[in-house]
Amino acid sequence: MAASLHAGPKLARGMIGQTREVIALCRKFCDEVVRPRALEIDKKLHEDPDYLDWDFVKKANDWGFYTMWLPKAMGGGGYNFSSLSYAMEEIGSVCLAMANLIGVHYLGFGTLTASGNMRIMQKLCRETVLGRKNGDPCLITLAITEPGAGTDVEEVDLVDKAKLGCFAKRVEGGYIVNGSKVFISNGHLSKWHMLITYTDLKKPSESAVMMSIPNGLKGFSFGRHEKKMGQRACPASELLFDDCFVPDEYVALDNRVKQKFSRSQKEMTQQMIDYVVSPSRAAVGAFGTGAARGAYEAAFKFASETVVDGELYVNHEWVQSWLAEMHKNVTLSRLVYTETNYANSLWGLYKDLHFEPMFSIMRRTPAFLSQKLFGSFLGKPGATEFMRERMFNDQSVCHQCRTSGLASAAKFTGTDYGVKNCQMALMLMGGAGVRQDRGAEKILRDAKLLQIYEGTNQLNRLNLFKCLIACGCKDACVFEEKEGGAA
Ligand SMILES: Cc1cc2nc3c(=O)[nH]c(=O)nc-3n(C[C@H](O)[C@H](O)[C@H](O)COP(=O)(O)OP(=O)(O)OC[C@H]3O[C@@H](n4cnc5c(N)ncnc54)[C@H](O)[C@@H]3O)c2cc1C
């Protein structure tokens, strides 16, 4: 049964008003900050690929976008997590790179949340909140991709065959890390990095470690920026580790914790990954929806202002039919990420938070009281134990699969339709579509990248098959080497 049918009747009523509030704020932000600079910054980065748009990050920080979705008890705005997807669609419909400059921060924060480590969560939240107050943004990244391993690191059935190089050696009081990570969005703009590495490169699926790495840690440095076709304002950075000692206080999750739970190390690694990617794939689906919408809006504007063959372009029947198709693509994409958010609320990372009484307790409790009541408890080991118990023991495999499968659907539906609408807009606009100053070609360049990150769309199709379809056929196998296959 659809997740929306389970969740819809139970969802807290206040969610809708809060989400509308977020959308209204994003529209204002787009009008005042994003739209006036999107094309200019893209052009600037074409000329100077190393340019970092600190000014945008500072403005997003001042508007509260880096703290809005952090828990109130940790000093954040406490907004519901589903509303983040709608925010990403709004900002993404104007500029995907700038949406990502905000969204990736929550990918980093979501990764930390998936470790259940409340002590580190509280520390990083406090720094982010302080950064907002002081006008000195504190952003967080997720670093998992390596030069030789991208698709494979997001799937436990593939990671053992991946060409991994980043390695953590257990030593007294912490780990020594060597190796590198690549394509890390916002890397050069962030103060903390959630690093996923491994203690056994022959068995990474059973030896994943999550660590929080602060800038300035001895042995950690930044490498180059990627020179990308799109989303240029959002840097994709290389992170380098050279005998970098990471003390235990920065270790969010490792095997010492995982062995306390009944599931195997490998199952727990997949569960951790699913907790991270199920919300983030919904958000990338929302980016795709934003791209589909931006392309549709550019095409509609062009068709409404242009005369072709003596008739307004929008009155040509084929144009009307194409615009209807593009409109449908936006609506379908939005429906799938919304459905995934329902699943995340029911069974995933946001479990319980979007339903009564939890939602109203959190919403109505004033921020200072919330911090006073819960703040001192959150840093204690009991809080982490409670959170981990709830996350790792309370989620059934069936619910994990449903959430993960739907998230993959949201990701490839939204991003494929995003690219499709861009191609349709360019066809419909003819020469105007490929001119830089009209904006449509930039959306296509930006949207293409969405089909690659958060797991390529091919991987996401396979994950959907694995999670939602394969159980219907006892002989179905996925991600397993078939007999006679390539060695
Ligand atoms: C703009 C951008 C931002 C990014 N941001 C981040 C970030 O913030 N943090 C981070 O850690 N990473 C980030 N990434 C990395 C991203 O997640 C990887 O690029 C992605 O997972 C694909 O990995 P890859 O590039 O190594 O491609 P590969 O894994 O080499 O894939 C190449 C092709 O092979 C296919 N393929 C691979 N394995 C299989 C298989 N078993 N079955 C079928 N097909 C397969 C893929 O679908 C793809 O078509 C970012 C990437 C980009 C482009």
Side-chain angles (χ1 to χ4, degrees), residues 100 104 107 141-154 158 181-186 228 230-231 234 236 449 452-459 462 479:
N100 209 19
V104 164
L107 173 64
T141 69
L142 162 62
I144 184 167
T145 304
E146 300 194 12
T151 301
D152 341 36
V153 292
E154 295 188 15
L158 297 178
K181 295 282 173 180
V182 290
F183 266 110
I184 310 309
S185 298
N186 284 1
K228 308 183 262 94
Q231 298 191 24
C234 181
L449 276 56
I452 296 164
Y453 60 67
E454 290 303 306
T456 61
N457 283 7
Q458 293 95 310
L459 175 89
L462 295 180
F479 298 129

Side-chain angles (χ1 to χ4, degrees), residues 352-392:
D352 300 332
L353 298 178
H354 296 166
F355 301 105
E356 300 296 6
M358 212 47 190
F359 181 83
S360 288
I361 292 173
M362 290 191 320
R363 190 169 175 218
R364 299 212 170 134
T365 313
F368 79 92
L369 196 60
S370 187
Q371 284 176 67
K372 205 172 164 142
L373 287 176
F374 307 110
S376 56
F377 168 66
L378 291 174
K380 303 236 161 70
T384 295
E385 275 164 30
F386 171 79
M387 181 79 170
R388 286 184 173 149
E389 186 63 28
R390 188 184 147 274
M391 289 179 61
F392 296 121

Side-chain angles (χ1 to χ4, degrees), residues 14 41 96 329 353 392 484:
I41 297 293
L96 284 170
N329 293 344
L353 298 178
F392 296 121

